[in-house]
């Protein structure tokens, strides 16, 4: 296992650039010396003495873990989402899409007129 890099070694190598922000005023060089490339126990000791580094390593290992990930679809109907209502300025300079049912369209900021709804099947011009 001398030439083999473990997940913990990879995580330790990735944390080194973040040591300044993680430990603040402490000298990062001393901690970099505490990250030997082939000693899992030394890396664990560093994580124990510097809890914020240990949390970073744990988060990294959790996020990059090789465990099986599954997909559970949300409950409910899997129907297509109805298209949003579209409104336009009568002068044709602005198109506005309603974000939720009941939202009132604004007035055209250029012409000061009410926007009109474009119904499905109606030409956009």
């Amino acid at each position: 296992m001398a030439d083999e890099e473990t997940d913990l070694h990879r995580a330790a190598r990735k944390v080194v650039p973040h040591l300044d922000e993680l430990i603040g005023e402490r000298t990062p060089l001393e901690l970099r010396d505490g990250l030997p490339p082939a000693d899992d126990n030394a890396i664990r000791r560093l994580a124990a003495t510097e809890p914020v580094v240990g949390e970073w390593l744990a988060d990294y290992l959790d996020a990059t873990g090789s465990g099986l990930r599954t997909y559970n679809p949300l409950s409910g109907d899997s129907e297509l989402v109805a298209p949003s209502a579209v409104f336009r300025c009568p002068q044709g300079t602005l198109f506005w899409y309603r974000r939720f049912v009941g939202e009132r369209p604004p007035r055209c900021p250029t012409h000061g007129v009410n926007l009109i709804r474009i119904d499905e099947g109606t030409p956009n011009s």
Side-chain angles (χ1 to χ4, degrees):
M1 183 158 140
D3 293 338
E4 191 175 319
E5 184 178 58
T6 66
D7 291 340
L8 186 56
H9 295 130
R10 246 185 312 283
R13 197 168 26 84
K14 297 287 186 180
V15 76
V16 169
H18 302 283
L19 289 175
D20 289 335
E21 67 188 74
L22 291 173
I23 58 172
E25 299 294 320
R26 298 196 189 111
T27 307
L29 291 175
E30 293 173 8
L31 289 177
R32 286 188 183 109
D33 291 342
L35 293 174
D39 186 356
D40 282 355
N41 290 328
I43 295 169
R44 287 186 185 100
R45 281 192 303 275
L46 172 62
T49 58
E50 293 294 338
V52 69
V53 174
E55 290 172 19
W56 193 99
L57 290 169
D59 288 345
Y60 179 86
L61 290 170
D62 185 45
T64 61
S66 59
L68 179 63
R69 295 177 187 213
T70 60
Y71 167 73
N72 295 319
L74 297 174
S75 61
D77 296 333
S78 60
E79 297 176 7
L80 293 175
V81 176
S84 174
V86 181
F87 297 80
R88 70 172 174 85
C89 172
Q91 304 294 320
T93 57
L94 172 74
F95 285 86
W96 182 83
Y97 296 85
R98 184 171 67 190
R99 295 177 294 186
F100 55 86
V101 175
E103 182 180 26
R104 298 177 62 93
R107 294 175 59 83
C108 175
T110 305
H111 300 105
V113 296
N114 290 331
L115 301 181
I116 56 173
R117 183 175 178 158
I118 300 173
D119 293 324
E120 288 184 42
T122 304
N124 289 346
S125 56

